[in-house]
Amino acid sequence: MKSFFNTLASLFTSSRNTLFIALFLFSGNYHQAVEKQTDIGMAESDLSFFYTPSIEFTEEYTQYVEHSIDSLLKRRGFNGSVLIAHKGAAVYNKSRGYARHWKKQELAEKENIFQLASVSKQFTALSTLLLYERGLINLDDPVVKHIEEFPYPDITVRHLLNHTSGLQNYFYVIEHFWKKDYLPVHEDMLALFIKQSLPLNFTPGRLFSYSNTGYVFLALLVEKVSGELFANFVHKNIFEPLRMNNSFVFHPSMNLEQLSDEKNLTMGYERMGRRLREIPVDYVDGITGDKGIFSCTEDLLKWDNALENNLLISAETKQFAFERALLKNGRRVNYGFGYRIKPKENIIYHNGWWRGYRTAYVRLPDNSLIVILNNTNASIIGLENQIRKVLDKCKVPIFPQDNQQLLASS
């Protein structure tokens, strides 16, 4: 193993071996080129340099997309950021409207940070899969194996990941039984579920029922197994290696008002008559995993590139996340691990909606990506399809076609 890293280091020091490095990356997964890490604190300090798209769009296509999407967003009165990318490179990445409405603070040109709402679930799922790849958990482990106090012995990790656990909605539990004057966290939610002896809605694995509760318990599982806060684990193992410098997981210790003065952090709004009201931190915001991750379009493109090129987990493990869940009766449902699935169109996606934020993350089968981030609680239903119709009217002219074809011709 040591000799492998010595060889790799020597290759990086030689400019003549640039082609070899690229071929090395594309001939197999970087992730699989080294032994699996068993130390949960270990993560490559910087993976961002392993994939830099070297494609370019024609000026005519870029102008067509920009004009068409600008017009579309203006007609809809859209407030937020939209990114469109092909093969890892952005052809459109623009923001319009306000980050802070009552201050008349316009969105910045780039790196505007939004709450991802349920789009956060893919990061929770991947954090769980990182533990799986490091040999620290199995997907069919009973959750109680890792969270000793967990009161449901028949629920497995897989049940949490694909929404087949039967757990009750934690929003109801917190609203009715949390009486303290501080934001509850994952351990507090677990304590309430234990104290209230809440029954399951159905036998685990029998039905699909979208469950925010399941993803909160996944975040707690990550904390129990890793020995660190979920926010810290995600930062060290995902955001930092990918240089997602404008992404973070919310924690009650954070001051979003202060952060908004330091970064291009948006605040969520809801419409009250003709006016927009800024939504303060909610009573369940301290509980994350199902939501609570903040990011921007630029960072989400880095994330998507890492997924596409298997920089964080192997292609085999990633496929678990993209496969439709299987119920006990043999029926498939259109959800994997942190992703919704449109099997006929081969689209992997997730939408989010939380306290003033509407979001969408859509991976198309031609290695294209659409990201929609909105902070006014305005509906974005149909916007993805409208964007796809714009793109379908003009075939993407790219040169060179992609990195692999460029290498093949070298």
Side-chain angles (χ1 to χ4, degrees), residues 60 88 94 110 163 216 309 317 329 342 377 405:
E60 291 79 9
K94 296 179 72 173
K110 61 180 183 178
H163 300 286
V216 175
N309 292 277
T317 300
N329 62 8
K342 294 180 180 179
N377 215 26
Q405 291 189 18

Side-chain angles (χ1 to χ4, degrees), residues 347-384:
I347 291 175
I348 307 295
Y349 74 105
H350 215 295
N351 297 323
W353 182 7
W354 179 248
R355 298 296 190 263
Y357 291 95
R358 299 280 189 108
T359 58
Y361 172 93
V362 186
R363 305 185 88 232
L364 302 175
D366 64 346
N367 194 3
S368 293
L369 173 70
I370 298 172
V371 175
I372 303 169
L373 305 176
N374 169 280
N375 67 318
T376 64
N377 215 26
S379 174
I380 60 172
I381 294 175
L383 179 55
E384 171 218 330

